[in-house]
């Protein structure tokens, strides 16, 4: 280490020390030196030409600080004090205070690091936390009892800090100086002579703290001793040192840590209160201590960059003055709350158009006040410009051209420099250097969504708006103007343009025609967004069109059939009980969802209250037992409604015949669709002739069977009568298993001898009181005569089936 210069200011010697290590310089200077004081000659130490310092724009910047503590005399090359340097302000309680100075020279760019060691001077006097210290001591206190006095704080360090304490002469106490493990000196009052409360109830002693500086400074505190009765146990902290950590920018009243001390005494002597015994001025504005609970909370704005670690001492005192002390260390964790700052140190503007590639245009410096990874910064510039950033020294970058410039082609450039740190989440900042930028069409339009969905109700009007697509283009002017169009394609074999159209300026999609949900339910089209650049750029998006159903179809009744001039009649036995299944109405609706939910209602009937219909199943059942007074011919009008809005419906007529004997079947001639229909009589006459013909044929067959009976033994039929399908009329619709009757019915035919009439007897179901549909009566009485022609008995027939008349 070489002593370069001595400066004497008001009997204070300033030692300026210079040494070189790996290209860096180190100087030493005392704090509070006057502005203009010479620290060292950097031109000589760095081997620079003094005459070139001005041309190379030599300057000294303080790292991580906007303040300029040092300057350069461009005429002499001296490094001088440019601003007041306060060691306590910059370094606080740190034993060593070093400021980092960057000496920057341009053309070419050079960076030299300086370490400026700031030496402490004795410019701060010791200060006690309080002006008056109150001690309550019982008169029974034994000789040699010790009472701790909070240490005085001196902002200076080293020998300029507190060195000793002096106690005012008195008859009872002497002072004993102590040193903590952290090197802090404090005083203890030692009782040398017993107290007598009756002789003296209180006394005031003056304690003086002296530092080791020159000239020596001091601070005083008044110790107010109040003589009380005995209190022989001091509070004891649960820990000697408390440590806490929390992030910067924490909210006010945030819990930091809770200290705890216990006192073995009882009553007032065991009541412990807490207070800071030693606390820096900065920490006093940031933290508070609850006297009763010992909780330390945040009361100010915590900034890691202002202070990353705080140390304080907490005193626990019982009701009568006994106390103990514990140390609290609070570490502040860094949060990435400082964005990088970009400084434009030098800029040549305007740029000659004949500047060759690689010309240095400007010098950029980037700083981030955060620590560790949060301060690691990456810089970049906007793309498609003939410039680049070249890393130089430390956080310095050179802005250089990468190609030939032509003012007639591009007259202006706007270069955006972006700095991003490595924090989580990363913070960034940008700075625009106005050298002008001419736009190039390098950004295609981008749709706001990856795909679009449009919903339209069927039967829409042409021109109906389905949806709107939007694309953004970050380019300028015509390069950023977006035009929309439909890509060629087909929907159900037709051109997509026959279904949809798109507004080229707004992106609004309209329907060209009316859609039908029953024809197709969805389709896809592709929309292209193209800008007006040269050449134009484009992007595509898929638009899915979904057609929603509308209640535009009435229910269709499948059974009973409402087509043609035929009608169906249900035959009901007179012995049918209440709840017996009579028939079922089957209907469908080609709509979907609730529009296809069907409900069934009887709107008109011959015998009110005799029949009911399931509102959801369509099954017609008897509500009560059939009475003799009930009309044999029952007509029902059933309406089927869907659940759409508005509801659509369809009606059908159901004809029921209450009878147990087939002989009564011809009377069906009086049943018609319309009692006022004049053609019904003719149709019934024709039907009667047909029935008579079948009856005669039935008699002939019986006679033939009787003739053959002489050769064959008499047969007794006991079982279900199977009616071949050949006997079914052509216009009968078989509905077994599809919904006419959910439960099939069975009929048993009993043939007896000695009877000229064959009857069916209605029997109970083989399965849950149901009858198989495939054995239901579907033919006229003459058909049954052919099936049972060889029987001369008189079977009883239950008439629970269908009778179909073709008119």
């Amino acid at each position: 280490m070489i002593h370069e210069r001595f400066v004497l200011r008001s009997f204070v010697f300033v030692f300026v020390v210079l040494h070189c290590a790996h290209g860096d310089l180190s100087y030493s200077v005392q704090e509070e030196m006057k502005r203009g004081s010479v620290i060292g000659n950097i031109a000589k130490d760095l081997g620079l030409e003094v005459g070139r310092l001005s041309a190379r724009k030599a300057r000294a910047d303080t790292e991580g600080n906007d303040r300029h503590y040092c300057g350069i005399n461009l005429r002499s090359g001296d490094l001088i004090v440019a601003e007041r340097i306060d060691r306590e302000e910059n370094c606080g309680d740190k034993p060593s205070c070093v400021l980092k100075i960057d000496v920057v020279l341009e053309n070419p760019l050079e960076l030299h690091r300086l370490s400026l060691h700031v030496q402490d001077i004795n410019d701060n006097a010791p200060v006690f936390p309080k002006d008056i210290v109150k001690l309550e001591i019982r008169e029974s206190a034994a000789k040699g009892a010790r009472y701790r006095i909070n240490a005085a704080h001196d902002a200076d360090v080293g020998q300029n800090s507190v060195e000793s304490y002096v106690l005012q002469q008195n008859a009872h106490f002497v002072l004993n100086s102590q040193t903590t493990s952290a090197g802090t000196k404090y005083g203890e009052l030692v009782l040398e002579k017993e107290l007598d409360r009756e002789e003296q109830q209180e006394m005031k002693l003056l304690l003086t703290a002296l530092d080791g500086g020159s000239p020596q400074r001091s601070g005083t505190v008044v110790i107010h001793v109040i003589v009380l009765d005995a209190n022989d146990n001091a509070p004891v902290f649960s820990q000697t040192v408390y440590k806490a950590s929390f992030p910067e920018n924490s909210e006010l009243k945030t819990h930091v840590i809770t200290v705890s001390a216990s006192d073995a005494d009882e009553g007032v002597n065991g009541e412990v209160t807490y207070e800071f015994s030693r606390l820096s001025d900065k920490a006093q504005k940031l933290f508070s201590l609850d006297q009763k609970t010992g909780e330390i909370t945040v009361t100010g704005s915590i900034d890691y960059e202002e202070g990353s670690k705080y140390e304080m001492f907490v005193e626990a005192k019982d009701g009568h003055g006994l106390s103990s002390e514990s140390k609290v260390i609070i570490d502040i964790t860094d949060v990435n709350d400082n964005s990088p700052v970009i400084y434009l140190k030098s800029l040549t503007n305007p740029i000659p158009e004949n500047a060759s590639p690689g010309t240095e245009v400007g010098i950029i410096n980037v700083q981030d006040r955060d620590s560790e990874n949060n301060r690691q910064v990456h810089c970049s510039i906007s793309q498609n410009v003939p410039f680049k950033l070249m890393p130089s020294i430390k956080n310095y970058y050179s802005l250089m051209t990468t190609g030939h410039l032509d003012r007639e082609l591009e007259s202006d450039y706007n270069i955006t420099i972006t700095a991003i740190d490595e924090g989580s989440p990363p913070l960034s900042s940008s700075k625009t250097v106005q050298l002008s930028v001419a736009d190039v069409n390098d950004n295609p339009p981008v749709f706001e969504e990856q795909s679009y969905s449009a919903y339209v109700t069927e039967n829409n009007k042409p021109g109906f708006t389905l949806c709107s697509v939007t694309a953004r283009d970050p380019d300028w002017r015509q390069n950023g103007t977006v035009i929309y169009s439909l890509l060629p394609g087909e929907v159900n074999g037709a051109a997509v343009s026959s279904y949809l159209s798109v507004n080229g300026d707004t992106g609004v999609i309209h329907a060209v025609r009316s859609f039908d949900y029953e024809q197709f339910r969805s389709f896809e089209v592709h929309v292209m967004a193209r800008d007006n650049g040269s050449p134009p750029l484009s992007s595509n998006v898929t638009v899915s069109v979904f057609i929603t159903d509308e209640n535009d179809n009435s229910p269709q009744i499948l059974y009973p059939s409402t087509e043609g001039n035929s009608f169906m009649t249900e035959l009901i036995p007179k012995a049918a009980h209440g709840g017996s299944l009579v028939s079922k109405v089957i209907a469908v609706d080609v709509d979907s969802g609730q529009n296809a939910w069907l409900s069934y209602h009887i709107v008109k009937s011959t015998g009110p209250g005799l029949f009911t219909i399931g509102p959801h199943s369509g099954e017609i059942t008897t509500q009560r037992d059939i009475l003799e007074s009930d009309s044999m011919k029952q007509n029902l009008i059933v309406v089927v409604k869907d659940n759409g809005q508005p509801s659509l419906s369809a009606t059908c007529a159901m004809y029921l015949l209450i009878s147990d004997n087939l002989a009564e079947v011809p009377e069906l001639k009086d049943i018609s669709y319309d009692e006022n229909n004049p053609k019904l009589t003719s149709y019934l006459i024709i039907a009667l002739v047909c029935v008579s013909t079948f009856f005669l044929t039935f008699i002939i067959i019986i006679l033939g069977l009787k003739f053959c009976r002489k050769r064959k033994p008499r047969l007794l039929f006991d079982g279900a009568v199977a009616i071949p399908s050949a006997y079914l009329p052509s216009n009968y619709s078989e509905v077994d298993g599809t919904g006419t009757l959910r439960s099939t019915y069975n009929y048993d035919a009993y043939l007896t001898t000695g009877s000229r009439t064959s009857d069916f007897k209605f029997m109970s179901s083989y399965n849950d009181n149901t009858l198989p549909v495939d054995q239901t009566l579907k033919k006229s009485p003459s058909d049954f005569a052919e099936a049972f022609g060889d029987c001369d008995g008189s079977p009883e027939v239950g008439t629970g089936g269908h009778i179909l008349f073709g008119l």
Side-chain angles (χ1 to χ4, degrees):
M1 183 176 294
I2 303 172
H3 296 280
E4 292 293 320
R5 185 182 303 264
F6 298 92
V7 180
L8 179 61
R9 292 292 185 269
S10 301
F11 300 99
V12 178
F13 289 90
V14 180
F15 296 91
V16 181
V17 182
L18 168 67
H19 73 276
C20 298
H22 304 288
D24 290 348
L25 297 179
S26 178
Y27 291 95
S28 178
V29 62
Q30 287 187 350
E31 63 174 329
E32 305 293 346
M33 288 188 64
K34 292 182 179 180
R35 294 182 181 180
S37 299
V38 177
I39 300 174
N41 190 288
I42 61 171
K44 178 180 178 182
D45 297 334
L46 297 177
L48 303 174
E49 296 181 13
V50 176
R52 292 276 297 164
L53 293 180
S54 178
R56 298 188 65 183
K57 302 178 183 180
R59 58 186 177 275
D61 296 333
T62 304
E63 180 180 345
N65 200 322
D66 294 336
R67 301 181 65 177
H68 296 277
Y69 292 112
C70 299
I72 299 176
N73 189 326
L74 300 180
R75 295 182 179 180
S76 63
D78 289 334
L79 181 67
I80 61 175
V81 176
E83 190 174 337
R84 173 179 172 268
I85 302 176
D86 187 355
R87 193 202 68 82
E88 289 74 30
E89 179 183 347
N90 287 279
C91 301
D93 294 336
K94 294 180 180 178
S96 176
C97 183
V98 181
L99 298 181
K100 299 296 184 180
I101 307 297
D102 290 340
V103 177
V104 182
L105 298 97
E106 301 181 10
N107 299 320
L109 177 63
E110 289 186 32
L111 176 66
H112 298 277
R113 299 295 304 277
L114 300 183
S115 296
L116 187 61
H117 295 266
V118 181
Q119 303 298 326
D120 182 44
I121 64 173
N122 192 25
D123 56 344
N124 293 283
V127 178
F128 283 93
K130 295 182 178 181
D131 295 334
I132 298 177
V133 176
K134 184 179 179 181
L135 288 180
E136 295 178 346
I137 305 175
R138 291 190 179 276
E139 60 180 343
S140 60
K143 183 178 179 180
R146 296 173 177 269
Y147 302 93
R148 179 191 178 102
I149 306 300
N150 291 338
H153 174 65
D154 193 322
D156 295 321
V157 295
Q159 66 178 6
N160 295 329
S161 62
V162 177
E163 286 289 332
S164 61
Y165 295 89
V166 177
L167 180 66
Q168 175 188 351
Q169 292 291 333
N170 64 92
H172 295 277
F173 295 95
V174 295
L175 183 68
N176 186 10
S177 296
Q178 298 289 340
T179 304
T180 65
S181 58
T184 303
K185 295 182 179 181
Y186 65 94
E188 286 184 342
L189 287 183
V190 181
L191 185 61
E192 192 175 49
K193 180 182 178 182
E194 289 82 356
L195 299 174
D196 187 350
R197 184 175 180 276
E198 289 70 26
E199 179 181 344
Q200 187 177 6
Q201 294 184 358
E202 62 180 6
M203 62 186 71
K204 293 184 178 180
L205 307 175
L206 183 65
L207 178 63
T208 303
L210 302 172
D211 61 21
S214 179
Q216 191 176 53
R217 295 178 180 270
S218 64
T220 60
V221 66
V222 175
I223 302 175
H224 185 194
V225 179
I226 300 175
V227 182
L228 301 174
D229 289 329
N231 179 26
D232 54 352
N233 289 287
V236 178
F237 279 96
S238 59
Q239 299 180 35
T240 305
V241 178
Y242 291 87
K243 293 184 179 181
S245 176
F246 68 99
E248 62 175 326
N249 302 329
S250 295
E251 298 181 355
L252 298 180
K253 298 183 179 180
T254 297
H255 171 79
V256 179
I257 195 172
T258 299
V259 297
S260 176
S262 58
D263 195 315
D265 295 326
E266 296 182 353
V268 177
N269 296 332
E271 294 179 358
V272 180
T273 57
Y274 304 90
E275 62 182 22
F276 287 120
S277 60
R278 181 182 175 188
L279 186 67
S280 64
D281 294 339
K282 182 184 292 186
Q284 190 173 3
K285 299 176 182 179
L286 302 179
F287 303 99
S288 66
L289 174 64
D290 191 300
Q291 293 184 352
K292 294 183 178 180
T293 63
E295 180 185 15
I296 299 177
T297 57
V298 176
T299 58
S301 177
I302 305 297
D303 190 351
Y304 175 86
E305 288 69 37
E306 296 294 334
S308 60
K309 185 175 183 180
Y310 295 92
E311 294 184 1
M312 58 197 70
F313 292 87
V314 177
E315 180 185 31
K317 184 184 297 184
D318 62 19
H320 287 146
L322 293 183
S323 65
S324 60
E325 191 177 59
S326 180
K327 185 177 182 180
V328 178
I329 301 175
I330 300 176
D331 291 316
I332 309 301
T333 57
D334 185 36
V335 175
N336 192 28
D337 59 343
N338 291 283
S339 300
V341 181
I342 302 173
Y343 296 98
L344 183 60
K345 295 294 184 180
S346 178
L347 181 66
T348 303
N349 194 18
I351 307 172
E353 61 178 337
N354 59 351
S356 59
T359 300
E360 185 179 81
V361 177
I363 297 175
I364 308 298
N365 177 249
V366 182
Q367 295 185 11
D368 194 316
R369 296 184 62 198
D370 293 319
S371 64
E372 297 179 356
N373 290 340
N374 295 335
R375 69 177 303 171
Q376 299 299 320
V377 180
H378 301 280
C379 288
S380 61
I381 64 173
S382 54
Q383 301 298 317
N384 300 320
V385 293
F387 300 93
K388 65 179 179 179
L389 279 179
M390 290 293 294
S392 183
I393 305 171
K394 198 183 176 184
N395 290 330
Y396 282 85
Y397 297 84
S398 295
L399 180 63
M400 308 178 68
T401 60
T402 59
H404 293 281
L405 303 177
D406 190 343
R407 182 182 177 278
E408 287 71 28
L409 296 177
E410 300 290 341
S411 59
D412 298 306
Y413 294 95
N414 282 331
I415 303 173
T416 301
I417 301 173
T418 303
I420 304 176
D421 61 25
E422 294 184 358
S424 180
L427 298 180
S428 64
S429 62
S430 60
K431 188 178 186 67
T432 300
V433 179
Q434 294 185 354
L435 297 175
S436 301
V437 160
D439 182 51
V440 293
N441 191 30
D442 58 342
N443 292 286
V446 178
F447 284 94
E448 291 183 348
E449 299 182 17
Q450 294 183 352
S451 62
Y452 291 83
S453 298
Y455 297 86
V456 57
T457 305
E458 64 174 330
N459 303 321
N460 59 288
K461 293 182 180 180
F464 176 78
T465 300
L466 273 67
C467 67
S468 176
V469 296
T470 304
R472 307 292 183 187
D473 194 319
D475 292 325
W476 267 17
R477 297 176 183 174
Q478 72 272 11
N479 293 335
T481 302
V482 180
I483 300 175
Y484 304 92
S485 61
L486 289 175
L487 291 178
E490 291 186 355
V491 176
N492 284 357
V496 67
S497 58
S498 64
Y499 287 90
L500 300 176
S501 66
V502 61
N503 188 303
D505 297 326
T506 63
V508 177
I509 299 177
H510 302 277
V512 177
R513 63 166 63 176
S514 178
F515 300 123
D516 188 352
Y517 177 84
E518 285 70 36
Q519 291 184 358
F520 56 91
R521 301 184 178 184
S522 64
F523 61 92
E524 289 184 352
V525 297
H526 299 281
V527 179
M528 179 180 67
R530 176 180 56 85
D531 59 25
N532 263 341
S534 180
L537 300 178
S538 64
S539 59
N540 303 332
V541 71
T542 300
V543 178
S544 300
V545 180
F546 298 94
I547 303 171
T548 58
D549 185 40
E550 187 179 53
N551 192 27
D552 57 344
N553 292 281
S554 301
Q556 298 179 7
I557 299 177
L558 303 180
Y559 181 85
S561 175
T562 58
E563 299 179 356
N565 295 325
S566 61
F567 62 90
M568 287 187 176
T569 301
E570 302 286 351
L571 197 60
I572 307 171
K574 293 181 180 181
H577 298 287
S580 298
L581 179 63
V582 174
S583 183
K584 179 178 180 179
V585 177
I586 301 175
V588 295
D589 195 319
V590 296
D591 291 323
S592 64
Q594 66 176 10
N595 295 331
W597 296 351
L598 302 181
S599 60
Y600 302 83
H601 310 276
I602 298 177
V603 298
K604 183 178 179 182
S605 64
T606 303
L610 178 57
F611 300 100
T612 183
I613 189 170
H616 303 297
S617 64
E619 295 180 347
I620 300 175
T621 58
T622 58
Q623 293 194 75
R624 57 178 174 81
D625 295 348
I626 296 177
L627 305 177
E628 292 295 336
S629 59
D630 291 328
S631 173
M632 177 183 298
K633 293 172 290 183
Q634 297 287 334
N635 295 348
L636 301 180
I637 304 300
V638 177
V639 61
V640 182
K641 296 181 179 180
D642 59 26
N643 199 37
Q645 293 295 332
S647 177
L648 301 179
S649 63
T651 59
C652 65
M654 181 68 70
Y655 301 93
L656 309 175
L657 179 64
I658 302 175
S659 175
D660 287 336
N661 196 324
L662 290 178
E664 299 177 1
V665 173
E667 296 183 9
L668 291 173
K669 63 181 180 295
D670 296 333
I671 300 178
S672 64
Y673 285 96
D674 189 352
E675 294 179 356
N676 297 323
N677 190 344
K679 298 181 181 180
L680 182 59
T681 302
S682 300
Y683 294 154
L684 292 178
I685 293 175
I686 296 174
L688 183 60
V689 171
C690 294
V691 171
S692 300
T693 302
F694 291 146
F695 180 73
L696 292 176
T697 304
F698 178 70
I699 296 298
I700 295 173
I701 293 174
I702 290 177
L703 293 176
L705 293 175
K706 284 186 177 182
F707 177 77
C708 297
R709 186 172 53 186
K710 297 178 180 179
R711 301 177 184 180
K712 298 180 181 179
R714 186 179 301 272
L715 296 177
L716 177 61
F717 294 92
D718 185 6
V721 178
I723 302 176
S725 60
Y727 286 92
L728 297 178
S730 61
N731 62 344
Y732 179 75
S733 180
E734 177 59 58
V735 292
D736 183 24
T738 62
T740 300
L741 297 176
R742 291 184 178 178
S743 302
T744 56
Y745 288 86
N746 291 337
Y747 294 87
D748 286 344
Y750 296 92
L751 304 180
T752 60
T753 59
S755 173
R756 298 296 180 181
T757 304
S758 296
D759 294 329
F760 283 95
K761 183 177 181 180
F762 182 81
M763 300 299 293
S764 61
S765 172
Y766 283 92
N767 182 19
D768 297 334
N769 297 324
T770 60
L771 300 176
V773 175
D774 56 355
Q775 297 181 10
T776 304
L777 182 59
K778 302 178 183 178
K779 297 293 290 183
S780 65
S782 60
D783 296 329
F784 290 101
E786 295 177 3
F788 303 99
D790 59 345
C791 301
D792 58 354
S794 179
E796 295 182 18
V797 181
T799 58
H802 304 285
I803 297 179
L804 176 66
F805 290 88
L807 301 182

